[in-house]
Amino acid sequence: MSKELKKIAIYGKGGIGKSTTTSNISAALVEAGYKVLQFGCDPKSDSTNTLRDGKYIPTVLDLLRKNPKVDAHDAIFQGFEGVYCVEAGGPAPGVGCAGRGIITAVELLKQQNIYEELDLDYVIYDVLGDVVCGGFAVPIREGIAEHVFTVSSSDFMSVYASNNLMKGIKKYSNAGGALFGGIIANSINNPYQKAIIDDFVSRTGTGVVEYVPRSITVTSSELSGRTTIEAAPNTPQAEVYRSLARKIAAHTQSKVPTPLETEELREWSASWADQLLAIEAGEVRGERASI
Ligand SMILES: Nc1ncnc2c1ncn2[C@@H]1O[C@H](COP(=O)(O)OP(=O)(O)OP(=O)(O)O)[C@@H](O)[C@H]1O
Ligand SMILES: [Mg+2]
């Protein structure tokens, strides 16, 4: 291979903004001249839609079911500015393990040396779930990704999912698994939301890669079937995604995080419950007071 391929996985709670964020990172990286493949690892197979005008593509597992000797090229489609798009797909509903499906899909591309052939700079996996199921730890465990990022808002369930992901990374770190790159803080529009995420990353020995506001520009872009980078390239939100993509591109120092134990996480959230009530009651002055 002529250059070094960087392998990145993006995790996070369901519906938190993984596919939106991942697609905007991919779009910003191709726009900057890199060769990028986005690999959707969600049975819904909707990861790469906004890179292709809202259109769905056949999944690797669908193609494999039709022809066990499928040519991997048949599962690769190009989108915005030549970005490569692949969807792993999933087992038939109610049958089989979606995590195993990811292994099968990734293996197919590996066996046929697709990453080398396409001379990629980045492959970005958009992964469903929060690593409660071992199958979804696959990109961490099997050396498929090197750097793992999680998308999180300041909501407790989202922080909880990020903490679980960190537990998964810590567990496999001695066996050469992927390391943690940081949190992509999504839907951060208020100082108290920023303060909650900042506190969580300081407790877990990690960091925030970028703060991404919740923005109607993203909604409007999605409704037009496109990323914000494509649909609204001159907006502040597109600049936020470009900044995020630059940081991810330059990122090298991933590490083993220090996730909170369940009891610690409970105490941590309870302390924030008290602080937020105090803010609402107007008892707190200073930055955290301005909700
Ligand atoms: N920063 C943002 N501003 C506005 N809307 C956003 C933002 N981030 C995500 N969204 C919206 O939230 C919804 C869910 O986002 P997305 O599909 O990317 O989440 P996901 O984590 O991939 O979900 P799933 O777990 O179902 O795959 C989408 O409608 C998306 O447009
Ligand atoms: Mg998604």
Side-chain angles (χ1 to χ4, degrees):
M1 209 185 330
S2 57
K3 58 188 167 193
E4 196 157 334
L5 168 65
K6 207 166 181 177
K7 296 173 285 184
I8 291 161
I10 312 269
Y11 279 78
K13 174 188 167 291
I16 202 63
K18 297 178 293 294
S19 302
T20 305
T21 310
T22 307
S23 299
N24 275 292
I25 294 169
S26 294
L29 289 174
V30 288
E31 183 190 63
Y34 294 109
K35 289 191 173 179
V36 181
L37 186 146
Q38 181 164 322
F39 202 128
C41 299
D42 184 328
K44 287 199 304 308
S45 65
D46 62 351
S47 170
T48 59
N49 277 3
T50 53
L51 292 168
R52 303 191 71 260
D53 289 328
K55 293 192 200 89
Y56 280 72
I57 56 177
T59 71
V60 176
L61 292 183
D62 280 347
L63 293 170
L64 271 172
R65 273 191 284 269
K66 284 185 198 136
N67 172 14
K69 295 199 180 334
V70 69
D71 180 341
H73 295 91
D74 293 347
I76 302 168
F77 294 80
Q78 283 187 280
F80 175 68
E81 297 212 2
V83 65
Y84 296 105
C85 303
V86 175
E87 296 282 352
V95 190
C97 161
R100 285 215 62 78
I102 300 175
I103 308 183
T104 309
V106 173
E107 277 299 316
L108 183 82
L109 270 74
K110 244 189 190 169
Q111 280 159 10
Q112 300 186 21
N113 293 321
I114 296 294
Y115 296 166
E116 290 84 351
E117 181 194 312
L118 298 179
D119 198 25
L120 298 174
D121 295 293
Y122 297 95
V123 55
I124 313 185
Y125 297 92
D126 171 9
V127 193
L128 156 99
D130 60 1
V131 202
V132 168
C133 153
F136 291 108
V138 162
I140 298 173
R141 221 171 53 199
E142 313 276 323
I144 288 171
E146 301 152 324
H147 306 282
V148 175
F149 296 88
T150 174
V151 177
S152 180
S153 71
S154 63
D155 289 346
F156 180 70
M157 289 318 293
S158 170
V159 170
Y160 177 84
S162 297
N163 195 63
N164 263 351
L165 172 71
M166 290 180 193
K167 286 183 179 171
I169 290 175
K170 194 173 168 197
K171 184 173 166 59
Y172 295 113
S173 59
N174 289 336
L179 297 180
F180 193 70
I183 288 189
I184 300 166
N186 193 31
S187 298
I188 304 296
N189 290 44
N190 289 300
Y192 85 88
Q193 295 171 324
K194 180 175 179 296
I196 289 175
I197 281 287
D198 285 346
D199 191 24
F200 178 67
V201 295
S202 84
R203 296 292 181 96
T204 50
T206 60
V208 171
V209 193
E210 190 66 80
Y211 302 94
V212 181
R214 188 151 196 95
S215 155
I216 199 165
T217 311
V218 177
T219 314
S220 144
S221 305
E222 185 190 38
L223 290 174
S224 77
R226 291 172 294 168
T227 60
T228 297
I229 294 289
E230 182 178 10
N234 301 319
T235 55
Q237 189 77 8
E239 273 313 308
V240 172
Y241 286 127
R242 285 190 191 101
S243 165
L244 168 62
R246 278 194 296 273
K247 288 178 190 168
I248 287 192
H251 178 88
T252 51
Q253 298 298 315
S254 290
K255 52 184 167 181
V256 181
T258 53
L260 301 178
E261 294 301 329
T262 307
E263 195 50 39
E264 287 176 310
L265 191 62
R266 215 168 279 143
E267 282 165 17
W268 175 81
S269 62
S271 79
W272 269 102
D274 294 342
Q275 287 186 61
L276 293 185
L277 281 179
I279 291 170
E280 196 166 52
E283 291 164 17
V284 179
R285 297 283 168 263
E287 199 193 355
R288 285 182 184 178
S290 46
I291 296 180

